[in-house]
Amino acid sequence: MNFKFIKLLFIISLIFSCKNKDVNANKETFRDKVLINKPNIVLLFVDDYGWSDVGYRNNTFNTPNIDQLKKEGLDFNRAYIPTPTCSPSRLSLLTGKEAIRLGMPRHISIDPNNPDAEYNLWPTDPVQRPSRNYLPLEEITYAERLKEYGYYNYFVGKWHLGHQGRYPIDQGFDEEFGTTDHGHPKSYYFPFFKDGDPKGFMKNYKEGDYLTDVLTDGAVDFIKGYDNDQPFMLSFWYYSVHGPSVGRKDLLKKYQDAGLEGKYAHHAAMVEAMDESVGRVRKALEEKGIADNTVVIVLSDQGGAYTNAPLSGGKKGGNTLGEGGARVPFMIYYPEVTTPNTVSNVPVQSIDLYPTLVEIASGKKYENKDIQGVSLMPLLKGKEIANRNLYFFRSYEDQYAAVISGDWKLVKYHSGKFQLFNVVEDISEQNDLIGTNLEIEAQLKKEIAAWEKEAVPTY
């Protein structure tokens, strides 16, 4: 074999070796880029925060941080909760399912003498429908699903889906902070809760500490100290602004001086303290250097306990399926995906977050016939989703079910009464169009009856 031929073979070998190294290097770079760019997710889930209780809709409230998030992201103007009340709203958020399908049309009500009772009854419920007292452990939560895609799940705050043994860490979360057996505190000032603190959360605090600030400290500390290679999801579920209305003292004085009185001054102060918390969380993301790779979501679990004007109804008063009770603030900021300061008027529900989160985590459209939610990713990208009906169900009083189809909403009562509103033209639901011979009335009556037959358990 001559020298030239050997030299040629060496050169060819060297070229292929370099190409393979380049290919491997490119593969490594791509893999690292995927890992780096898989976004962190922060979900800020506020309790009893009314659609109207935000600064950009109502100047009674001071919410500069939520207003800023709205400017940077996508605001869902018509966002709803399928069962607008504490525990079912949480079940739907975690599972992507209408809560009634799992037998939870009310908040949990644990009997201290029988804490493991599967169901409770409500004294004034006209049909005495049983309601579950906890989220079944076999349900696959968004935390469990995101874990499959490499996410670390941290939970802060209110759970209200079962007692110890059925806490966040039993449903896919890696850590929890501030979780108790309670649906609301006794006071937002220490000692916060009367009892039901099996993990000793309160032992670390003292007189003068304010619950919203304490929980925010936990969320901020988590962000600052996070050093895992994997992306994280922080689920911060506030106890605030649920009653009792106890405003932080410095903020309370501000609203009293501005002319608000009694519980209204307290409520406005609580809203501002919550907004301040949102700002602190976002600042921690900035200081950590990960804000540009973190999705931030704000959502409420149901309408407010006070006035929700111009919307009708609210948390209390027998009209919770009115817009003021079922319609909530909801916005998403997804860096380089959402267009700044955009508004969607497409009707959506909290069940839609589950498949949206999974699509964010996996990079693929999530298909699951066992959930009722649909991914909002097309809307986040400025595209469309298919038209569909949204259904509602709760079991406390005469009013119990509703359906939204586009601009239209039909509300149903046990007593046989129906109401029909065009909630786009009549946002305050003052013009009941039932019995005016509209085709949509017959259509929606038929569709809600079919849905009830399929979705509502029989006992």
Side-chain angles (χ1 to χ4, degrees):
M1 186 178 294
N2 65 41
F3 176 78
K4 289 184 178 180
F5 183 73
I6 293 173
K7 185 176 180 181
L8 179 63
L9 286 177
F10 176 77
I11 292 171
I12 292 172
S13 174
L14 186 61
I15 290 171
F16 274 100
S17 175
C18 290
K19 284 187 175 181
N20 286 336
K21 284 181 181 178
D22 288 341
V23 169
N24 290 334
N26 288 337
K27 285 181 179 179
E28 192 72 10
T29 302
F30 178 75
R31 188 197 69 181
D32 291 345
K33 187 175 180 181
V34 169
L35 287 173
I36 291 170
N37 290 336
K38 183 174 279 195
N40 304 300
I41 305 169
V42 173
L43 170 59
L44 304 171
F45 189 43
V46 189
D47 200 330
D48 292 358
Y49 184 39
W51 181 86
S52 302
D53 293 356
V54 59
Y56 64 85
R57 292 191 179 114
N58 184 346
N59 61 14
T60 299
F61 298 96
N62 186 34
T63 59
N65 295 294
I66 292 178
D67 294 357
Q68 181 62 32
L69 186 65
K70 187 258 186 188
K71 289 177 184 176
E72 295 176 14
L74 174 61
D75 182 26
F76 292 91
N77 187 46
R78 294 186 63 196
Y80 298 91
I81 305 296
T83 298
T85 190
C86 283
S87 303
S89 68
R90 284 156 173 73
L91 181 151
S92 289
L93 181 59
L94 277 172
T95 65
K97 298 179 180 181
E98 297 158 339
I100 186 57
R101 291 177 184 264
L102 295 179
M104 190 183 281
R106 290 190 302 277
H107 68 284
I108 67 174
S109 182
I110 297 176
D111 180 354
N113 298 316
N114 187 15
D116 292 317
E118 189 173 1
Y119 293 95
N120 71 75
L121 295 174
W122 195 251
T124 59
D125 177 11
V127 297
Q128 288 296 285
R129 184 179 303 281
S131 184
R132 281 191 186 275
N133 271 331
Y134 45 79
L135 173 66
L137 292 175
E138 60 268 23
E139 289 298 319
I140 300 174
T141 67
Y142 68 66
E144 290 169 305
R145 194 63 76 194
L146 263 61
K147 189 182 291 289
E148 297 174 8
Y149 297 102
Y151 276 72
Y152 188 90
N153 292 280
Y154 191 78
F155 185 90
V156 174
K158 174 175 172 175
W159 180 241
H160 210 205
L161 282 171
H163 51 289
Q164 191 172 20
R166 301 180 180 276
Y167 271 8
I169 57 171
D170 304 300
Q171 290 281 15
F173 293 90
D174 297 287
E175 290 183 75
E176 60 193 18
F177 173 76
T179 304
T180 70
D181 292 345
H182 295 276
H184 62 82
K186 179 183 178 182
S187 173
Y188 281 86
Y189 276 102
F190 182 84
F192 311 137
F193 305 101
K194 184 178 179 181
D195 51 25
D197 181 26
K199 303 192 81 173
F201 163 65
M202 290 188 294
K203 69 184 179 182
N204 299 311
Y205 302 100
K206 63 185 186 307
E207 186 175 351
D209 289 339
Y210 192 72
L211 182 57
T212 304
D213 296 338
V214 163
L215 295 177
T216 306
D217 290 343
V220 168
D221 288 346
F222 166 73
I223 294 169
K224 287 182 175 180
Y226 191 75
D227 61 358
N228 294 356
D229 292 333
Q230 62 195 120
F232 68 78
M233 178 167 180
L234 166 62
S235 297
F236 186 171
W237 293 13
Y238 292 80
Y239 288 92
S240 191
V241 295
H242 191 295
S245 293
V246 179
R248 208 176 69 204
K249 292 175 183 177
D250 59 321
L251 297 174
L252 177 61
K253 185 177 186 308
K254 168 184 170 180
Y255 287 99
Q256 289 171 333
D257 290 346
L260 289 181
E261 298 179 351
K263 62 186 181 182
Y264 300 105
H266 279 278
H267 178 62
M270 291 180 72
V271 168
E272 184 167 348
M274 177 274 297
D275 179 81
E276 186 180 285
S277 168
V278 173
R280 287 184 59 200
V281 169
R282 297 201 70 194
K283 183 180 179 183
L285 296 171
E286 289 282 355
E287 291 177 347
K288 186 75 171 178
I290 57 174
D292 291 340
N293 192 39
T294 301
V295 179
V296 180
I297 304 165
V298 170
L299 174 69
S300 174
D301 77 328
Q302 68 178 112
Y306 302 125
T307 175
N308 292 285
L311 307 183
S312 69
K315 176 181 176 177
K316 303 175 183 178
N319 185 23
T320 300
L321 297 182
E323 293 289 284
R327 187 169 174 174
V328 295
F330 178 33
M331 60 199 70
I332 298 178
Y333 167 58
Y334 191 161
E336 299 185 9
V337 174
T338 50
T339 301
N341 205 27
T342 51
V343 177
S344 171
N345 288 304
V346 176
V348 300
Q349 282 185 321
S350 55
I351 52 176
D352 299 330
L353 256 180
Y354 185 103
T356 306
L357 293 172
V358 177
E359 186 166 344
I360 290 171
S362 67
K364 299 177 182 178
K365 185 175 180 180
Y366 183 61
E367 303 284 354
N368 186 340
K369 62 181 177 56
D370 294 325
I371 68 170
Q372 289 75 58
V374 302
S375 175
L376 301 176
M377 190 60 72
L379 294 176
L380 298 183
K381 294 179 178 179
K383 300 177 182 178
E384 298 179 352
I385 60 174
N387 294 332
R388 58 184 170 143
N389 288 351
L390 303 181
Y391 292 97
F392 304 79
F393 195 101
R394 65 199 305 270
S395 195
Y396 289 90
E397 57 253 327
D398 190 23
Q399 183 194 76
Y400 79 97
V403 56
I404 284 177
S405 181
D407 297 355
W408 295 95
K409 178 175 171 185
L410 181 79
V411 186
K412 190 173 182 180
Y413 294 74
H414 288 300
S415 59
K417 174 183 173 181
F418 286 90
Q419 293 174 305
L420 179 67
F421 302 102
N422 184 315
V423 293
V424 172
E425 295 179 359
D426 177 22
I427 194 173
S428 301
E429 297 173 297
Q430 297 301 301
N431 186 20
D432 184 0
L433 297 172
I434 206 77
T436 58
N437 298 316
L438 294 172
E439 289 184 13
I440 193 70
E441 177 183 328
Q443 176 189 328
L444 292 182
K445 283 182 175 178
K446 181 179 178 181
E447 288 173 351
I448 197 170
W451 174 81
E452 282 189 71
K453 186 175 181 180
E454 183 232 335
V456 181
T458 56
Y459 299 92

